[in-house]
Amino acid sequence: EISQNGLLRAEELLSAIVTEVLSNAWRFVLEFLMMALYIAFWLSDPMPVGNNMEELFKRYIILKGFACLGYGVCVGALLHALSVDLAAAFGLAAFLLSFVPEVGSIVALLLPAPVILFDSRLESPAATLTVATAAQLGLKFVFANVVEVKLVEADQ
């Protein structure tokens, strides 16, 4: 009876956790889509803004896109070199999530962790995860603080 009661409590707890995670994930997706729509409408010029400001913002988004594309390609190549499954998908996710300030790069960094840790083909999944995480942090630092800055400086 005690073990049955414990299993029932564990099931209720797990159900509550899953429900909470799914409801927050849905809210995140919805807010991301709303932000994407807002940016798309803003870039298509529905609000009157000065031509200089509009051109400056569009140019920044293009340069940011190039930096994010470079970061995503490098992450995909890194994970491919480490023999991680779905390397291209993680590279694409890194590219897309690079547009989300602060949180996006953290999510992109954590996405391949379960695939790496549970891959039985890797000799040392923990070491591979450590190398992948450190390399992604280094790549993010270089692209955010060097490449992106140099692109914006060169554009002026």
Side-chain angles (χ1 to χ4, degrees):
E1 183 176 309
I2 293 174
S3 63
Q4 191 70 14
N5 194 14
L7 283 173
L8 184 62
R9 297 273 185 230
E11 183 180 337
E12 289 172 359
L13 178 66
L14 186 60
S15 175
I17 290 171
V18 168
T19 302
E20 188 67 25
V21 166
L22 288 177
S23 69
N24 285 333
W26 175 248
R27 189 182 65 190
F28 173 76
V29 168
L30 186 62
E31 287 178 11
F32 182 77
L33 287 174
M34 292 301 292
M35 179 189 67
L37 283 173
Y38 178 76
I39 289 173
F41 281 117
W42 193 33
L43 289 176
S44 66
D45 204 10
M47 296 177 10
V49 218
N51 279 344
N52 290 341
M53 181 59 109
E54 177 185 332
E55 197 57 41
L56 180 70
F57 184 73
K58 284 182 180 180
R59 193 76 187 139
Y60 173 74
I61 292 295
I62 290 170
L63 294 174
K64 175 81 172 167
F66 282 133
C68 291
L69 179 64
Y71 174 67
V73 167
C74 286
V75 167
L78 165 75
L79 294 175
H80 180 72
L82 293 173
S83 301
V84 175
D85 282 343
L86 303 171
F90 292 131
L92 178 62
F95 163 69
L96 295 173
L97 290 169
S98 291
F99 287 99
V100 181
E102 308 303 327
V103 179
S105 58
I106 295 170
V107 172
L109 181 80
L110 296 175
L111 277 177
V115 173
I116 294 170
L117 287 175
F118 297 120
D119 190 352
S120 62
R121 296 174 301 121
L122 297 173
E123 287 182 33
S124 177
T128 304
L129 179 62
T130 304
V131 169
T133 302
Q136 285 184 73
L137 284 172
L139 284 170
K140 186 60 183 172
F141 178 81
V142 168
F143 274 92
N145 296 313
V146 178
V147 173
E148 197 173 317
V149 172
K150 292 296 181 187
L151 282 173
V152 172
E153 282 178 357
D155 189 49
Q156 292 179 358

